Every structure is written in structure tokens, then in C-alpha cells.
Amino acid sequence: MDNITIEKVVSAEDYPVILQLAREIWAITYNDILSPEQIDYMMDMMYAPEVIEKERGEGIVFELVKDAGKPVGFISYGPYEPGKMKLHKLYLSQAYHGKGIGSRMLSHTKRAAVEQGAKQLLLNVNKNNSRAIKAYQRNGFTLVREEKNPIGNGFFMDDYVYGVEL
């Protein structure tokens, strides 16, 4: 996997790429966890170009993961609370699972957090996303708390919050 690069999103040209990757990855990841209606709602809520633009304006970094130039995943992270950074999104195409790329993405994010002065990196993960939970645990994350957050239209995000000391 020597051809894997992680590149910062610097323009709106990449927003449709992020949305397309999200649609492909979520269809597989959340098919048995969330209703199609909730997935559609969350796509608009989280990946509409104006949402990404707003988040970038708030200091959230978006990065594309590429294999020889072809986008295969993405990360977003940013400041959270004093001394803490939040990993908002980490998604990788199914064909790239089990190859250490997800761990590489997490290590990359941990380094970025340290460079920005964070002492802890936090993330939310759906309680039923057991594959992601195992991956986070393998990479040193431990359970901090549970959260159930309303997101509109009667939908909730029922998550665990995991964290790792940096």
C-alpha cells in the first residue's frame, strides 16, 4: 500500500468526491444499522457542500485518502475543547479494509492533534458499528461515555464516545 496518500482538501472541487465516497461507504457500513431514510437525511446534514464549507471555515480539516491518486476514503477532524481534538469522520472504502490503512489514518490524525497541541483525541462511533469499535480499540482508544444525540426529523445518533491520550 505504498501508493496511499493523505491529502488536505483545499477547495470545493473535492466536496462532491467526499459526498460520493460517503454514499458508497455508508451504504455498506450502515445498511443494517440505520434506516435508508436516516442515511439520506444524514448525507444532506453532514455532506452537503455548504456544510463542508461551513465546517472548514470553523477550522475542521478534511483530507482525502488516495490510492495512486484515486480517492478511497476521507478524514475530518478539528478543535473540540481546550486540549482536545475531535475526529469527526473516518471512512475507508470496503476494498481497503484489513490492510492497515485505517490505522494509518488514525496515526495521521493523532499526529495532527499533537501538532495542534491536543492532549486527547475523541470520536463518536455508532454503538452498533462493531467493526469500527474494534479498530479504534486496536489503536488505543478506550470508552469515555455514551451519548444519544437528536439530529432532527425524529432521528438520533446513538453513539459511544471513545478517546485516546496523546
Side-chain angles (χ1 to χ4, degrees), residues 151-163:
I151 58 171
N153 270 21
F155 297 122
F156 288 85
M157 292 196 325
D158 194 11
D159 294 342
Y160 291 124
V161 176
Y162 273 77

Side-chain angles (χ1 to χ4, degrees), residues 6 8 10 15 29 31-32 34 44 48 50 52 58 65 73 76 83 91-92 100 114 116 122 127 133-134 137 163-164:
I6 300 174
K8 198 166 283 189
V10 294
Y15 301 172
T29 303
N31 185 44
D32 296 331
L34 304 174
D44 291 337
E50 59 274 13
I52 296 173
E58 295 168 351
V65 179
S76 80
Y91 292 102
L92 184 63
V114 168
Q116 293 184 23
L122 296 168
K127 289 179 180 176
I133 291 167
K134 288 176 187 166
Q137 290 171 338
V164 65

Side-chain angles (χ1 to χ4, degrees), residues 114-128:
V114 168
E115 287 170 9
Q116 293 184 23
K119 303 287 185 222
Q120 186 182 39
L121 180 62
L122 296 168
L123 61 86
N124 284 48
V125 59
N126 184 290
K127 289 179 180 176
N128 294 306

Side-chain angles (χ1 to χ4, degrees), residues 25-86:
I25 295 166
W26 278 52
I28 296 166
T29 303
Y30 296 110
N31 185 44
D32 296 331
I33 298 173
L34 304 174
S35 70
E37 295 80 16
Q38 184 167 349
I39 291 172
D40 287 344
Y41 177 79
M42 291 179 74
M43 282 293 118
D44 291 337
M45 182 189 93
M46 297 169 70
Y47 298 105
E50 59 274 13
V51 173
I52 296 173
E53 186 69 25
K54 177 181 175 282
E55 289 182 355
R56 286 186 61 222
E58 295 168 351
I60 295 174
V61 174
F62 283 79
E63 296 178 318
L64 285 171
V65 179
K66 297 181 177 180
D67 180 6
K70 175 188 171 208
V72 297
F74 62 95
I75 313 167
S76 80
Y77 55 87
Y80 183 56
E81 295 171 349
K84 298 178 183 180
M85 180 177 280
K86 179 109 182 232

Side-chain angles (χ1 to χ4, degrees), residues 4-23:
I4 299 295
T5 58
I6 300 174
E7 302 172 15
K8 198 166 283 189
V9 169
V10 294
S11 78
E13 291 176 15
D14 289 323
Y15 301 172
V17 175
I18 294 169
L19 177 59
Q20 183 59 36
L21 282 167
R23 286 191 192 285

